[in-house]
Amino acid sequence: MVGNRLRVAVLATMGIQAGLAPSVLAQDPGKGAALLAEARRAIGGEERLLGVKTLDVRGAFKRAAGQFNMGGELQIRIERPDKLRRDEDLSPPGGGPAVVRTEVLNGTEVWEENSGRGAFITRFGRGGDAGRGGPDGGGRAAADPARIQELQRTARQAELARLMLAWLLAADGSVTWVGTAEAPDGKADVLEVTPAAGPALRLFLDASTHVPLMITWRGVAPQMVFAGRRGGRGARGDGAPPEGAPRPDGPRPDRPPDATLRMTLGGYKTVNGIKLPHLVTRGFNDTTVEEWVVESYRINPSFRGDVFAQ
């Protein structure tokens, strides 16, 4: 399993176990807006954050695949308001050629590309119907290509909303304070953010510094999926791992169970006046399946015209 070195691990576990059920929590939009404004001031200020139009994030990642850990290089590029590109250069278990995988959201268009024999990737479901049965939500993909594309689009829009909230505290929907999470090593104010795309998110802010600690949401439990090469750009994996590769235990369910998904944030460093997390982990319930160690952030770089185009 990928290790979780974040100080907020106890907070994460506590928040998940407590459930933070809306029925027993306060609903205070005014306090939510005020705390989000405080958090924006804490990490760099409203003007700096709104001034970020493009973002290029690079680093190393580790991913748990059964009893194996895989690792590689990760690059994420964002262009406001609706463009996202994620590139992975992955070293598969047991050696062999690296696998380069690209996933893109370009407005309302989506495409992906795989090179190499393929590798295990983690699918984080987005919750609701769009998180079930599709290539970005775990389970078996629907037969209708249009449905598959729609699932990919909604999943990547939800992912973009999460990353924009995690890195720039950008929220395009309602925000309300719902309670305080407590643990032996600290407290966190909990905001519920309802983005335009994707499920409602819970944003945990350090009660003292207002720096973001964690984001949680409800969705399909992450699935380890083998993304093999089939064609080129726009290719989809067929779900069958190569001979000798680790395989997920048991059959893949048609409807994976829902879970509390989480993204924890730590290792903050200041880049161009903005505090940004350099250690990010992702998982569900109390299990961590992916870890990113960010090596560099480039703020407002100029991207080539074909970065997001197919």
Side-chain angles (χ1 to χ4, degrees), residues 155-197:
R156 291 176 198 173
Q157 287 171 338
E159 175 71 354
L160 177 59
R162 288 189 289 266
L163 294 176
M164 291 296 291
L165 183 63
W167 287 330
L168 301 176
L169 287 176
D172 58 3
S174 63
V175 179
T176 185
W177 178 81
V178 295
T180 301
E182 299 187 30
D185 63 345
K187 296 182 180 181
D189 286 299
V190 185
L191 309 185
E192 182 162 287
V193 180
T194 305

Side-chain angles (χ1 to χ4, degrees), residues 38-45 49 167-169 211-212 268 273-275:
E38 285 285 349
R40 287 170 174 160
R41 283 192 287 271
I43 68 169
L49 295 176
W167 287 330
L168 301 176
L169 287 176
V211 170
Y268 278 87
I274 300 175
K275 289 183 179 179

Side-chain angles (χ1 to χ4, degrees), residues 58-72:
R58 305 186 189 213
F61 75 94
K62 296 177 183 178
R63 178 176 299 139
Q67 296 181 346
F68 294 85
N69 278 346
M70 300 182 293

Side-chain angles (χ1 to χ4, degrees), residues 84-88 100-106 109-115 118-119 121-123 134-137 141 145 148-153 155-156 225-239 307-310:
L84 169 68
R85 174 169 175 151
R86 172 173 172 147
D87 294 280
E88 292 183 1
V100 178
R101 177 171 177 80
T102 298
E103 294 184 345
V104 174
L105 170 69
N106 184 15
E109 298 179 357
V110 292
W111 59 270
E112 62 187 67
E113 183 177 34
N114 302 311
S115 66
I121 61 175
T122 304
R123 299 294 198 187
D136 284 86
I148 292 173
Q149 188 173 65
E150 176 62 21
L151 291 169
Q152 290 176 329
R153 177 166 47 250
R156 291 176 198 173
V225 179
F226 184 79
R229 185 181 182 186
R230 183 184 295 174
R233 194 169 274 194
R236 294 189 298 107
D238 59 11
V307 165
F308 302 101
Q310 184 170 4

Side-chain angles (χ1 to χ4, degrees), residues 209-283:
T209 66
H210 306 296
V211 170
L213 299 175
M214 177 175 66
I215 295 172
T216 68
W217 65 100
R218 292 292 295 175
V220 177
Q223 301 286 300
M224 292 306 301
V225 179
F226 184 79
R229 185 181 182 186
R230 183 184 295 174
R233 194 169 274 194
R236 294 189 298 107
D238 59 11
E243 184 176 356
R247 297 171 182 267
D249 294 333
R252 292 171 57 192
D254 286 320
R255 294 179 67 84
D258 281 355
T260 297
L261 310 181
R262 59 179 170 81
M263 177 189 302
T264 54
L265 311 166
Y268 278 87
K269 300 177 184 178
T270 301
V271 180
N272 292 5
I274 300 175
K275 289 183 179 179
L276 292 166
H278 284 64
L279 179 60
V280 178
T281 69
R282 303 187 67 159

Side-chain angles (χ1 to χ4, degrees), residues 126 204 226:
R126 67 175 290 276
F204 291 65
F226 184 79

